[in-house]
Amino acid sequence: MLLVAGAVLVGACTSDDDGVDATAAPIDAPAAATATSEATAAATDTPAPTAETTEVPAFPRTVTDMLGREVVIESVPLKVVAISPSAVEYVYAVGGEIVGRSASVAYPAAAAQAEDVGSAYQPSIESILALEPDLIVADSVIHGSQPQLRATIEGLPVPVIFAGAESYDDVLVGITLLGEVYDAADVAAALIKEIEAALVAARAALEGTEVSAVALIADRDQSLYGAKSSSFVGGLMERVGILNPAAYQPDAGPFPGYTLLAPELLLQYDPTLIFTITPAPEPAPRLNTLIPQIPPFRGLSAVTSERVIELDLEVFLQAPGPRVLDALNALREIVAE
Amino acid sequence: MPAADSFICRERRLTITLFVVGALLALSGVGSLMLGAVYIQPFDAIRGLAPGGEDFDRLVVWQIRTPRFFDAMLVGAALSTAGALLQSVTRNPLADPTILGISASSGLVIAIVLVLSGNPSDTQLALAGIGGGLVGAATILYIAWGGVVSPLRLTLAGVALAAFFSAAIVALLASSRTFLEINLGFLVGGLYGSEWREVRAIAPWILPALVGAQLLSGRLNVLALGDDIAASLGVLTDRTRVMTLALVGVLTGTAVSVAGLVSFVGLVSPHLARYAVGSDQRRMLPASMLIGALLVATADLAARVVLQPSELPMGILTAAIGAPFLLYLLKVRI
């Protein structure tokens, strides 16, 4: 165990070096994580415990997950089943690996190779158990909001932690939590530092300008919903300093954190930028190509200046988590233009 | 039919039907324990049924698959019996709790309770379903009072009710921040996440109601002769009708509270039962009940297996069987 802790420190240094300059090309968090696990393997081969390793509290340790539950982690988990895209990404962000995942997980590529255990909303409990995991990482948002499913998952004879994200702050909490679970506090701290630097850089890019934007998703009837500040993307926009006229609209429509946006309101807002997110898979047209085709929207500033921008579906909507780094870098690049 | 088609002969048909359907149900049960996202050997499946131990086979067989199979049987028996009672009391071969909107009215009250309470217990949900089922059954009773409404008119009234209640359910769930993925299982009908907890919550309602239906079967036979004859034979027609529809409300409501809006089970099962054992309610009801249990248990097994490790909502499969059957009835029997 000490060896692993030592190795994790090596890994942390690696990602730290890469991430000193936050305005440089965005660092791929999972790449750092991969480096970490390689370092882990290398260091395990050559036992070289350093003085620092003794400072890390030994296992078993008790962690508090994102639903406020105290969970005892016996040792660094080796066979992990993560049942939402966010949960999977947290594990990889601190150098872990998984043996099972929810159906839609496609990132990171290594995770896609893991066993499919059914959709995040209806995971197959028997598939999870069949993998004989030593830890289940469930989603504090998806499963925390379904009392019966949550009770079922908690009742399994396997330790469970809940980690998810509804906001920027949640992501940092989640990374820290997984850092404790994996005895990789340094990797977690380095990644958090990187994310915080990316936020600073994005804010700096906006300095002295006033940019307003709405972030839109559309349902199958093409009704438009605007992200409020309580949504993940809306929260990021607020952090970065983008003015969002829909931020504090009342709740309307089925999507938590989004409000049904009447076309008139969009015309009234006339934001500098329009972000779009399209949940429907290709070849469905992206929402940013549809907006300019809607006649009343042709006069919008964002349409005439061709600043209707499609955001990455996973990073901004489906898998809120450590890739908030990519999200912040993307926002920085957009507002820097 | 020749005179030789005697009572004894019909009794034998019932025995044979119960035996065959029972055997198929047992087969479906064995399949339900073995098959799923993970295949479990027959011997391990049996071992999983034996108490003691917390190993994988035991967990999967006893904590996941067995309660689900029981839920499926209870739901199937409840819906098919509700359908048989409805067809009998309205003298309408197209009657079914889904088609007449009784499932949807149960579902609406359940959805209201879900939205208001956030985390209701299984018993609260069952009670909500029963309340909604009674409202739906009362509405049908009002429309069909006296049993003289033409089958198509009653069916169309039911379609209107079902559409209204379903729209209200969607409106409620859509405005309530619950995830759309969760709603699908409820709106189409499915048994994902069944546990012993649910079996314990619904069995105390469904089992007595099934017995009650059997006790009413003699009077329903008389009622089928028409109100005047029934009255002259000493059957209190109105009271029988009210009691029957109350049972329909209880059976439908509890089934909907665990499985959502499963459609067509109550339509198909009684017709198959009548085909097998004739229309005497005393024989038709038990046969219909067993056929319903078989139908839902098998549909649920298929729903778990076809897309593994994900699953289809089971109601899609009952609808796939039931909808063509309804079309057949409309073409041939009405």
Side-chain angles (χ1 to χ4, degrees):
Chain A
M1 212 47 60
L2 294 178
L3 299 181
V4 176
V8 159
L9 291 179
V10 176
C13 294
T14 316
S15 66
D16 218 4
D17 291 345
D18 291 347
V20 171
D21 183 5
T23 54
I27 306 302
D28 203 355
T34 313
T36 311
S37 50
E38 279 165 10
T40 309
T44 320
D45 291 339
T46 50
T50 57
E52 290 97 317
T53 54
T54 52
E55 292 169 16
V56 180
F59 286 100
R61 60 174 58 164
T62 306
V63 301
T64 305
D65 75 3
M66 294 182 72
L67 292 178
R69 302 159 59 252
E70 296 206 331
V71 182
V72 176
I73 305 293
E74 293 293 341
S75 60
V76 171
L78 296 171
K79 296 185 77 179
V80 177
V81 175
I83 46 181
S84 84
S86 298
V88 168
E89 294 194 21
Y90 278 129
V91 171
Y92 279 87
V94 298
E97 285 182 348
I98 56 168
V99 294
R101 58 164 175 91
S102 56
S104 66
V105 169
Y107 184 91
Q113 305 300 316
E115 208 62 45
D116 179 354
V117 298
S119 83
Y121 291 89
Q122 294 197 335
S124 161
I125 301 298
E126 44 195 78
S127 300
I128 295 173
L129 290 174
L131 293 170
E132 296 177 347
D134 53 11
L135 180 72
I136 296 170
V137 184
D139 195 300
S140 54
V141 179
I142 295 174
H143 307 115
S145 63
Q146 296 187 65
Q148 298 204 343
L149 181 54
R150 176 185 164 177
T152 303
I153 296 170
E154 286 180 317
L156 299 177
V158 179
V160 183
I161 60 164
F162 289 84
E166 286 180 307
S167 68
Y168 171 87
D169 288 328
D170 285 353
V171 175
L172 304 191
V173 173
I175 293 171
T176 309
L177 169 65
L178 270 291
E180 290 172 26
V181 170
Y182 273 91
D183 203 6
D186 298 60
V187 180
L191 178 56
I192 287 172
K193 209 191 254 177
E194 222 178 308
I195 291 169
E196 286 170 343
L199 175 60
V200 170
R203 291 188 70 93
L206 257 181
E207 203 111 293
T209 59
E210 192 166 285
V211 174
S212 64
V214 291
L216 303 177
I217 57 175
D219 64 12
R220 292 188 199 283
D221 301 334
Q222 299 296 349
S223 304
L224 295 176
Y225 298 87
K228 310 200 308 164
S229 63
S230 54
S231 68
F232 186 70
V233 59
L236 288 183
M237 286 159 63
E238 190 166 81
R239 288 256 168 195
V240 169
I242 298 170
L243 301 172
N244 176 7
Y248 295 100
Q249 285 290 311
D251 276 351
F255 306 107
Y258 289 78
T259 180
L260 184 65
L261 208 60
E264 301 91 304
L265 272 182
L266 187 56
L267 292 176
Q268 195 189 344
Y269 295 155
D270 194 19
T272 336
L273 292 171
I274 295 176
F275 297 133
T276 60
I277 304 175
T278 313
E282 303 270 10
R286 303 297 91 185
L287 185 56
N288 73 322
T289 64
L290 294 179
I291 296 271
Q293 293 172 19
I294 300 171
F297 294 158
R298 283 186 188 143
L300 286 171
S301 318
V303 172
T304 50
S305 63
E306 296 187 354
R307 308 224 53 195
V308 184
I309 299 155
E310 178 76 14
L311 298 179
D312 186 277
L313 171 64
E314 286 181 15
V315 170
F316 284 94
L317 185 71
Q318 287 178 341
R323 275 196 284 167
V324 72
L325 189 62
D326 298 0
L328 289 168
N329 286 326
L331 287 180
R332 190 199 71 227
E333 282 170 21
I334 290 166
V335 297
E337 275 176 26
Chain B
M1 290 226 175
D5 180 19
S6 63
F7 180 77
I8 293 168
C9 177
R10 278 185 241 143
E11 278 300 303
R12 192 186 294 157
R13 287 184 77 166
L14 176 65
T15 314
I16 293 170
T17 303
L18 292 184
F19 180 78
V20 170
V21 178
L24 288 173
L25 188 59
L27 204 63
S28 175
V30 173
S32 295
L33 298 187
M34 287 166 50
L35 304 176
V38 179
Y39 174 71
I40 291 185
Q41 301 284 346
F43 179 74
D44 292 332
I46 293 165
R47 209 168 42 79
L49 285 175
E54 274 263 294
D55 62 338
F56 174 74
D57 294 337
R58 171 76 179 163
L59 273 174
V60 170
V61 170
W62 186 249
Q63 297 292 352
I64 298 177
R65 293 181 181 173
T66 311
R68 187 159 175 163
F69 178 63
F70 274 92
D71 262 354
M73 285 197 299
L74 285 171
V75 165
L79 289 176
S80 59
T81 303
L85 293 176
L86 273 176
Q87 288 176 15
S88 157
V89 80
T90 63
R91 279 181 243 158
N92 180 345
L94 295 181
D96 161 89
T98 324
I99 293 175
L100 295 186
I102 299 174
S103 296
S105 87
S106 278
L108 178 58
V109 178
I110 290 168
I112 291 171
V113 170
L114 272 175
V115 168
L116 289 184
S117 132
N119 187 19
S121 73
D122 297 307
T123 303
Q124 284 169 328
L125 281 183
L127 287 174
I130 290 170
L134 291 176
V135 170
T139 313
I140 292 303
L141 183 67
Y142 174 74
I143 294 171
W145 191 261
V148 287
V149 184
S150 82
L152 279 176
R153 282 184 66 179
L154 182 66
T155 306
L156 289 175
V159 167
L161 278 180
F164 174 76
F165 289 131
S166 301
I169 294 171
V170 173
L172 202 68
L173 294 181
S175 61
S176 77
R177 329 263 124 211
T178 44
F179 286 97
L180 298 172
E181 282 82 352
I182 306 170
N183 301 344
L184 187 64
F186 180 71
L187 291 175
V188 185
L191 286 167
Y192 176 83
S194 289
E195 293 182 41
W196 284 114
R197 219 165 18 81
E198 289 178 343
V199 178
R200 282 194 294 268
I202 62 171
W205 297 99
I206 290 181
L207 296 177
L210 292 175
V211 174
Q214 294 300 326
L215 296 179
L216 276 180
S217 57
R219 291 199 213 173
L220 287 173
N221 275 339
V222 181
L223 205 62
L225 301 172
D227 279 12
D228 294 340
I229 300 176
S232 72
L233 289 173
V235 169
L236 299 169
T237 55
D238 289 350
R239 189 189 288 180
T240 305
R241 229 174 248 126
V242 169
M243 286 196 301
T244 308
L245 282 163
L247 286 178
V248 169
V250 171
L251 289 167
T252 308
T254 36
V256 171
S257 79
V258 289
L261 305 180
V262 180
S263 52
F264 294 113
V265 176
L267 177 75
V268 174
S269 314
H271 281 282
L272 293 178
R274 235 174 262 125
Y275 178 76
V277 301
S279 54
D280 182 339
Q281 299 289 324
R282 288 167 301 179
R283 287 192 294 273
M284 194 273 267
L285 279 173
S288 171
M289 183 180 82
L290 216 54
I291 290 170
L294 172 66
L295 198 63
V296 172
T298 311
D300 186 53
L301 173 60
R304 289 195 292 124
V305 171
V306 285
L307 280 185
Q308 57 175 296
S310 295
E311 57 178 69
L312 273 176
M314 172 264 288
I316 288 177
L317 295 174
T318 59
I321 301 166
F325 193 82
L326 174 61
L327 294 177
Y328 161 79
L329 285 181
L330 284 172
K331 183 130 180 84
V332 178
R333 306 287 292 273
I334 303 299

